[in-house]
Amino acid sequence: MPVRLAAGTLGCALLLAGCGGHDGGDGTGAKNGDGRPVNMAGKGAAQQPVPRGKGSKVDDDFNGDGARDLVLDDLVHRDHGDDAGIGVVYGSRGGLRPGARQLLSAHANGARTKGELPAAFDAEASCDLDGDGFTDLLVSTDPPYDGQGQPPVPLQILFGSPRGLVGKAVRLKVPAQARFGNDWPDQPVCGDFDGDGASDLVLHASGARMTFLRGPFKRGGAPRAAGKPVTAPGNGLVTGRATDVDGDGYDDVLVRKAAGASGAAGALVLGGPKGPAETGVLFPAGKDIAFGRFGKGKGMDAAIASPRGVALRYDVPGTARATLEAKDVAVDAGDLDGDGLSELILSGGGSGSGGGAGEVRVLRGRTTGLAANASATIVPTAKGTTQVLQVADFDGDKRADLVLRTYRGEGEDTVGVYPGLKNGELVSRKPILTFSTAEFLALGDGS
């Protein structure tokens, strides 16, 4: 799904290298999440250089060193008149290293349109668009537009490299035949929709249309090919991270209509040799949708959150259903214990067990499926409003980790990394490291 994007004064305790090594930080030699978690927050650390890589096939690996990195958008800052930029925390074999960090900004990294730099600079999606082994970042901007005809394409690409995301972005080129109407081409989703092994892009074009751009992409921002816009169900906006839901080797994309009081209706558009074209299944209205293998069958399952609860659809596009009592929550999925089944993560909202805005609950994936009355692991978080940023393996132990962000007040937040656990609990009750997105602002704008 998101890719969900969300990070100065950092202390030595934050640096996984040199402050406890890669063994979890407690001297026991245990891997992250197997031993006692250590809160590694602190103050006053010098910035570390970004490790140089040679290329990899790991997701979100911008410097190609084989370790997953973390993108943080909407950095907290007290000056609400300016875009603070995008933060990147680089990883290592032991997990994220907040000392190895970058601040990306429109001034330092944005491409000019008609001689003007963008004011907005927001992370949207990430994948290896040119196939060189370094993940690239798609950024949304606000190019100048006089209101006449088709507006400029607002999306730009920052290409990854052995030094990470450095230098100037290039504007994404959307061929004229792939555009529709006079809307901004936006809402990019990465995936291999035609099954050729290269990363493609799907964009919202206008109305009930979406644009399919075939990869690999050239360094100038042009796709390998693009045809006419594809019809999408309803007035659908593409969203989330592409997933091969039906297991046919082609990534599929979720489209959702404009949200009403009970959320947005969704539909799955299936990939194929010619890209996404066929509508595979329609979903009921909901505020959020997550895909995973929760355990009822062999295929991918869907969890649809709504004000009334979380509806489960097993073996999409199958018809087996169940409902969980969890109202107005956000849903995410990932394999936290490494058993091959996905856990369902519920955040915010309320539930029959007294859930609140700061509570995160984790339901274990089981071969019998998720029970409506299943007990949950409660992850204590900092006081405030908490959202899930990522559910992904950052330390290379084949178990997903939970990255949470809690807004604690005006210009204040806490990002915490909670390792997935193999035995007993699904996820650590304490973060192995914490930091604030405000800490990136000490780096300046990168120029």
Side-chain angles (χ1 to χ4, degrees):
M1 104 159 255
V3 173
R4 293 196 184 197
L5 305 171
T9 310
L10 294 175
C12 178
L14 265 177
L15 309 180
L16 296 182
C19 298
H22 302 320
D23 62 358
D26 61 358
T28 64
K31 284 200 70 175
N32 287 353
D34 292 334
R36 177 176 56 85
V38 177
N39 186 337
M40 307 187 79
K43 295 182 178 180
Q47 184 184 359
Q48 290 185 324
V50 173
R52 294 184 68 91
K54 297 181 179 180
S56 81
K57 294 184 179 181
V58 174
D59 289 338
D60 294 339
D61 184 8
F62 303 106
N63 59 333
D65 66 347
R68 192 175 191 127
D69 309 317
L70 177 67
V71 175
L72 300 135
D73 213 4
D74 299 323
L75 308 180
V76 295
H77 61 297
R78 297 191 181 276
D79 183 3
H80 298 290
D82 296 321
D83 190 322
I86 302 166
V88 181
V89 176
Y90 287 88
S92 69
R93 292 181 181 179
L96 291 172
R97 301 170 60 193
R101 61 195 190 273
Q102 286 180 326
L103 177 65
L104 308 172
S105 71
H107 176 72
N109 306 102
R112 293 181 180 271
T113 300
K114 297 182 179 179
E116 295 185 24
L117 283 172
F121 207 65
D122 301 310
E124 293 286 350
S126 58
C127 54
D128 184 4
L129 291 171
D130 58 350
D132 64 352
F134 301 92
T135 302
D136 311 309
L137 182 66
L138 280 140
V139 177
S140 180
T141 68
D142 58 344
Y145 176 49
D146 61 8
Q148 303 298 315
Q150 289 188 331
V153 176
L155 299 171
Q156 300 185 1
I157 305 171
L158 273 167
F159 285 100
S161 76
R163 296 186 296 131
L165 296 169
V166 295
K168 289 286 186 178
V170 301
R171 294 186 298 273
L172 176 67
K173 292 180 172 57
V174 181
Q177 73 270 17
R179 298 192 63 172
F180 184 85
N182 291 332
D183 287 350
W184 302 89
D186 58 5
Q187 307 292 321
V189 174
C190 289
D192 182 9
F193 302 104
D194 56 6
D196 65 353
S199 293
D200 311 311
L201 286 179
V202 167
L203 317 175
H204 178 244
S206 179
R209 301 289 194 281
M210 60 185 184
T211 294
F212 171 51
L213 304 178
R214 290 180 183 268
F217 287 69
K218 296 179 180 179
R219 298 288 293 197
R224 178 172 62 89
K228 294 181 179 180
V230 180
T231 301
N235 186 20
L237 298 174
V238 293
T239 184
R241 186 183 289 270
T243 306
D244 183 7
V245 176
D246 56 0
D248 63 354
Y250 304 99
D251 280 342
D252 312 310
V253 63
L254 178 68
V255 298
R256 303 184 72 192
K257 297 180 181 179
S262 61
L268 193 67
V269 179
L270 302 179
K274 296 182 179 180
E278 178 186 355
T279 301
V281 61
L282 300 176
F283 296 107
K287 292 185 175 295
D288 202 7
I289 299 179
F291 295 103
R293 287 197 63 241
F294 303 122
K296 193 73 173 182
K298 296 181 179 180
M300 194 75 73
D301 312 314
I304 304 103
S306 74
R308 298 178 297 279
V310 177
L312 298 173
R313 176 172 288 185
Y314 293 104
D315 276 339
V316 173
T319 58
R321 295 177 176 87
T323 302
L324 302 177
E325 184 182 357
K327 300 177 181 178
D328 290 318
V329 296
V331 288
D332 293 272
D335 184 4
L336 295 169
D337 57 359
D339 67 351
L341 297 176
S342 302
E343 275 63 61
L344 179 64
I345 298 103
L346 311 175
S347 57
S351 70
S353 61
E359 181 177 276
V360 175
R361 297 190 297 144
V362 182
L363 301 180
R364 186 187 300 274
R366 301 179 184 277
T367 55
T368 54
L370 295 171
N373 60 350
S375 60
T377 297
I378 308 297
V379 182
T381 63
K383 188 176 181 179
T385 301
T386 297
Q387 66 174 157
V388 177
L389 293 186
Q390 284 271 356
V391 186
D393 181 10
F394 286 96
D395 55 15
D397 63 359
K398 308 302 181 184
R399 300 190 295 273
D401 308 307
L402 188 59
V403 182
L404 304 178
R405 183 183 188 185
T406 300
Y407 293 89
R408 298 185 287 108
E410 181 71 16
E412 298 181 0
D413 71 350
T414 299
V415 176
V417 180
Y418 298 75
L421 302 178
K422 182 166 67 172
N423 299 314
E425 298 288 347
L426 294 168
V427 63
S428 171
R429 299 296 185 97
K430 295 181 179 180
I432 199 168
L433 63 88
T434 61
F435 55 91
S436 170
T437 67
E439 294 159 0
F440 278 96
L441 302 187
L443 299 176
D445 65 2
S447 59

